[in-house]
Amino acid sequence: MDARPDIATLMQGIGEAARDAAAELAFAPSEQKDAALRAAADAIWADRATLLAANAEDMAAAEAKGLGGAMLDRLKLDEGRVRGMVEGLRSIAGQPDPVGAVIAEWDRPTGLRIRRVRTPIGVIGVIFESRPNVTADAGALCLKAGNAAILRGGSESLRSSTVIHAGLVAGLRAAGLPEAAIQLVPTTDRAAVGEMLTMTRYIDVIVPRGGKSLVGRVQADARVPVFAHLEGIVHIYVDKAADLARARKVILNAKTRRTGICGAAECLLIDRAFFEAEGAPFVTDLVDAGVEVRGDDTLLALPGVVPAGPEDWGHEFLDMIIAAKLVDGVDGAIAHIRRYGSNHTDCILTEDDAAAARFFQRLDSAILMRNASTQFADGGEFGMGAEIGIATGKLHARGPVGAEQLTSFKYLVEGDGAIRG
Amino acid sequence: MDARPDIATLMQGIGEAARDAAAELAFAPSEQKDAALRAAADAIWADRATLLAANAEDMAAAEAKGLGGAMLDRLKLDEGRVRGMVEGLRSIAGQPDPVGAVIAEWDRPTGLRIRRVRTPIGVIGVIFESRPNVTADAGALCLKAGNAAILRGGSESLRSSTVIHAGLVAGLRAAGLPEAAIQLVPTTDRAAVGEMLTMTRYIDVIVPRGGKSLVGRVQADARVPVFAHLEGIVHIYVDKAADLARARKVILNAKTRRTGICGAAECLLIDRAFFEAEGAPFVTDLVDAGVEVRGDDTLLALPGVVPAGPEDWGHEFLDMIIAAKLVDGVDGAIAHIRRYGSNHTDCILTEDDAAAARFFQRLDSAILMRNASTQFADGGEFGMGAEIGIATGKLHARGPVGAEQLTSFKYLVEGDGAIRG
């Protein structure tokens, strides 16, 4: 007998345990799920010294491997970040339970009473990279919605994730829920990801959390449905009827508050008539803030603006760079966004209700904004408490995906012996 | 230059035309979509002689090919069926437009006002077999929800479907909507189906309408998401606290009203204590009605009951046959249904609220019923006006799929220059 089972067998065992756990979680009372989350928060906080020591080992190994600064920053934990993770667990525990909620209810002339109620989806697979706190966030959101979770983190964060996962399991155990409700894949073998992507019998949805190469691979190879966005190519359109003071404030925030998140602005579209009347002081603001503005045509005349190339349109910079262009009115902006956008988040700055309505109606981004920073594209900012990610697909989940969108539904139909004629 | 383009090129052209049409349909006013449906109804009714002649040709060809009686019945049109189809179009026109409806709306402390509004999904592919009226039903439901439709019917019904499709196009034209909003694949080449299943760039969802072999092939081969059910293995459980008179009426209707539909009962589970106290007169009713009852153990003692084999559990008969079995209470029924069910529709007959609640909570069928015939598992009976099919998947659409479930959503966010801190 082999000492180490092969990856397919390992993953099948994890899948079966997840299915069994999901069957029990489906009718677990809210109090029990919330108790598990609170106990997990306590366990992780109590054991923070172990967690920080494991994280220090992960960091040392990552530095030895020569990982970049952004990656190291995502990997790093300190007491403040652990506190944030623990508070996140408690905040998810405090939210309403989506499961069992009656979404709609109506009567039929046949005497039937029909209710549509929320149910868990089943088993969610989460594939992430270096951020160890995804273990806690994603595991907790899945549990809140009554789903079993199979978590597969990046190899560089495995020591940290293992300690966090132990805290989650301690919470499940304390609340009397199955420990397999949240499983962490215990190997860094990449074949495990390939198994997850094709385990349609065991996994209902895959959520990839990471960069474009991870998401692209998952979207291309998965036979299991995927909730994800490949890119956040976020546009801001300055309409003819924009308020200049508002525009300056919003554009600077949308680009520079954090450049590495998917809601950061990547392309600025300016109405030609607005530009002719008011100029583009927000471009100067960006240049002054250290942003490389890649402009076309007329915008090149502004101080500090460098020429945009064709590859700059539809590009996600995730950096202190923005593409900028003049367009002809709201229809010009719509045409540009339809061609180059990624259906993530797009924004119009205008005081004209008709222009805003046209922008809202004719574009089909998951999130459309008016007079607000695109950096608000986030489940927490939407009031969902937490998000497992942002989806740009059109089926089931879209925009920030919180606990509610990790549910399905069923119809409950009651009659008084009704038969069909 | 080839006279006939190859199938891949043909289907790509259809896909591109559908995408273009969908972009326009997405913001078509309700009145325009409804006008197209009403004009299509008028056109089909005015041209019914042509339709019936085309259908007679389809029928003659099908008879010459030796197709079975059930298939011929599905293929056949007469004036009454054409009237039904036309009334169906008018009824869909009369329903509320799901697109643009505000699903949820809330304010945030940041001053943001967030609305979640319904949008079309995009392009729906429908693959069906012999029923020509699916052309009208499916095309109309897709249009109602602002989606473009690509319809691929069975070869045996192509003449009939072509005439119906011409009526739909006449309606689109009369209302000023793009004719490519509803396209019928003009070839019976099976390669066209293979193209549809993998056209992820052009088709957002596939709905297969037909028998298990069609649905199974689509589910196995599709890279495009599928709304479908493979089988309706419908159970009825007679609880200890069932009302006998109600049970007799409901069971007979659930099995015999129409045996070929997916909501027909296929398996009867009887609580052992109920059986010992009351016997099973509903079994005798079924036998008297000409149903072959395949019973296990004790039930074999009843007159007319024949022995059930292991393959009878979890079997969809779609015929005057039912499997029947004693179980130990509601938990025995739940265990049987979890093992053998298909998550379509399952029913409990009981006057005990606690037993019904347990059945409703612990099973995850798309439709769970209490004291009502399972033949009500139908979008029309649910009050949806029409359905494109019944889905048993857990993502997006579940149970009867009407116009509303052929939609997606987007978030519209309005601020007053809000920036994120």
Side-chain angles (χ1 to χ4, degrees), chain A residues 301-318:
Chain A
L302 299 176
V305 174
V306 301
E311 71 291 350
D312 288 321
W313 315 116
H315 192 90
E316 188 184 34
F317 299 106
L318 296 173

Side-chain angles (χ1 to χ4, degrees), chain B residues 29-254:
Chain B
S30 311
E31 302 70 37
Q32 200 178 6
K33 293 185 286 184
D34 294 342
L37 293 171
R38 291 197 178 96
D42 293 344
I44 291 169
W45 185 245
D47 215 18
R48 63 191 179 280
T50 312
L51 174 54
L52 293 174
N55 187 250
E57 281 183 58
D58 277 338
M59 288 292 288
E63 278 163 20
K65 276 208 299 193
L67 291 189
M71 187 77 114
L72 289 177
D73 181 60
R74 285 195 284 271
L75 178 57
K76 182 162 178 54
L77 292 177
D78 54 25
E79 195 160 298
R81 286 187 176 182
V82 175
R83 189 191 309 275
M85 190 195 308
V86 162
E87 281 167 3
L89 289 173
R90 294 202 179 107
S91 143
I92 294 171
Q95 289 166 37
D97 187 346
V99 176
V102 178
I103 306 166
E105 187 167 18
W106 66 96
D107 294 313
R108 296 289 303 152
T110 44
L112 297 186
R113 152 136 299 230
I114 301 180
R115 282 177 294 158
R116 191 178 174 194
V117 303
R118 272 195 216 292
T119 61
I121 289 176
V123 178
I124 315 283
V126 183
I127 301 171
F128 57 105
E129 293 182 325
S130 51
R131 285 183 211 269
N133 57 310
V134 173
T135 314
D137 298 353
L141 268 179
C142 290
L143 177 65
K144 181 79 187 187
N147 299 298
I150 299 175
L151 311 173
R152 177 28 158 96
S155 54
E156 60 280 9
S157 62
L158 187 61
R159 293 178 192 87
S160 313
S161 294
T162 301
V163 178
I164 297 168
H165 178 249
L168 295 171
V169 169
L172 290 164
R173 202 184 306 125
L177 286 172
E179 297 187 13
I182 305 175
Q183 294 179 85
L184 181 68
V185 176
T187 170
T188 58
D189 192 321
R190 288 173 65 90
V193 172
E195 289 294 323
M196 284 178 74
L197 298 183
T198 52
M199 283 168 67
T200 51
R201 244 184 94 192
Y202 299 112
I203 301 184
D204 296 293
V205 175
I206 291 275
V207 181
R209 288 285 303 266
K212 188 175 164 183
S213 68
L214 171 70
V215 177
R217 183 196 162 188
V218 167
Q219 288 183 329
D221 295 345
R223 293 290 299 176
V224 178
V226 176
F227 293 167
H229 68 273
L230 186 64
E231 295 180 293
I233 302 170
V234 173
H235 295 81
I236 296 191
Y237 164 60
V238 184
D239 184 51
K240 188 171 73 170
D243 176 274
L244 181 56
R246 281 187 168 178
R248 292 179 71 164
K249 197 172 59 147
V250 168
I251 291 166
L252 193 65
N253 184 266

